[in-house]
Amino acid sequence: MKRNMLKEKTFGAKTTRPPPAMSLSETTWVLIGTCVTLILVSFLSSSIPWFKPSTSSGNSTSYAFPLGPLGALATLQFSLTAAPASQPRNVIYGTFIAGSIGICFSYIPTTILPHWLRLALGTSSAITIMAKLGVTHPPGGALATIYCSGGYHWGHLVMSLIGCWVCISVAVIVNNLNERRQYPMYWSFRLW
């Protein structure tokens, strides 16, 4: 009995089908939206001289805040516009909660908590708290992992939140220019 249930859950019901592919016109909007978003946040992050390590020649070697989670956010905002994880409430609260937990865990010395365990515990704590508060945001989980690794501080979190607001702004404008798309589905920022 349990074996059949596990098999069905693991391999999916035979009647369930994956979602259909997007039309060419929809994917064009995805391309435009993600490209504009990532150009803006990449430029913003590369233009900010604070928080960036430099080489001996003075050239910047990185961005002011991690861009990976913002690429994931752009995927959500333009490919899954109705998903709860892509809504502004989840974006802002999820980023703030996960980033804060990641930075706090990064302050734990590796003599007390090994690096690999700090990454696992910090990220899983952030994901659990986001889920409990109803603001699950997958890019926030990625941000927690990045921040748990160390070398980041509260200024980076502020910059990540600014990057999220830039992404939200572009998603609102670009998605709503198309009559078949809507973003966001709601603006509510209430937690309870």
Side-chain angles (χ1 to χ4, degrees), residues 17 20 29 39 41 44 46-47 52-53 74 85 95 111 113 115 117 132 146 149 151 158 161 173:
R17 301 225 184 262
W29 283 99
I39 285 170
V41 294
L44 175 67
S46 67
S47 299
K52 295 194 299 186
T95 297
T111 55
L113 196 62
H115 187 262
L117 189 55
K132 175 64 180 159
I146 292 167
S149 66
V158 170
L161 287 166
I173 293 167

Side-chain angles (χ1 to χ4, degrees), residues 1-41:
M1 179 82 166
K2 286 199 181 250
R3 186 180 301 169
N4 288 339
M5 179 185 69
L6 180 62
K7 180 180 176 187
E8 187 173 307
K9 285 184 173 184
T10 303
F11 297 107
K14 294 180 182 181
T15 59
T16 305
R17 301 225 184 262
M22 285 185 173
S23 67
L24 182 59
S25 65
E26 285 295 307
T27 54
T28 302
W29 283 99
V30 172
L31 173 67
I32 292 167
T34 55
C35 190
V36 169
T37 299
L38 295 174
I39 285 170
L40 286 174
V41 294

Side-chain angles (χ1 to χ4, degrees), residues 169-180:
S169 300
V170 173
V172 167
I173 293 167
V174 172
N175 280 317
N176 293 318
L177 287 174
N178 182 331
E179 62 188 35
R180 292 182 306 231

Side-chain angles (χ1 to χ4, degrees), residues 9-186:
K9 285 184 173 184
T10 303
F11 297 107
K14 294 180 182 181
T15 59
T16 305
R17 301 225 184 262
M22 285 185 173
S23 67
L24 182 59
S25 65
E26 285 295 307
T27 54
T28 302
W29 283 99
V30 172
L31 173 67
I32 292 167
T34 55
C35 190
V36 169
T37 299
L38 295 174
I39 285 170
L40 286 174
V41 294
S42 298
F43 177 75
L44 175 67
S45 187
S46 67
S47 299
I48 297 171
W50 319 293
F51 314 139
K52 295 194 299 186
S54 297
T55 60
S56 58
S57 64
N59 295 327
S60 174
T61 59
S62 65
Y63 292 95
F65 51 89
L67 295 176
L70 296 178
L73 173 57
T75 303
L76 289 171
Q77 290 177 323
F78 293 99
S79 296
L80 299 169
T81 57
S86 69
Q87 302 308 307
R89 174 181 179 264
N90 289 46
V91 173
I92 299 303
Y93 285 146
T95 297
F96 177 75
I97 290 166
S100 297
I101 291 170
I103 290 171
C104 288
F105 267 82
S106 74
Y107 291 132
I108 301 172
T110 55
T111 55
I112 296 172
L113 196 62
H115 187 262
W116 59 270
L117 189 55
R118 183 172 73 188
L119 286 173
L121 289 175
T123 304
S124 59
S125 297
I127 293 168
T128 302
I129 291 171
M130 285 189 295
K132 175 64 180 159
L133 294 175
V135 292
T136 299
H137 182 58
L143 190 67
T145 304
I146 292 167
Y147 284 173
C148 280
S149 66
Y152 293 94
H153 54 75
W154 297 103
H156 290 104
L157 178 57
V158 170
M159 296 311 301
S160 290
L161 287 166
I162 291 170
C164 286
W165 278 111
V166 169
C167 290
I168 290 168
S169 300
V170 173
V172 167
I173 293 167
V174 172
N175 280 317
N176 293 318
L177 287 174
N178 182 331
E179 62 188 35
R180 292 182 306 231
R181 300 172 73 85
Q182 178 185 341
Y183 181 83
M185 303 313 275
Y186 53 86

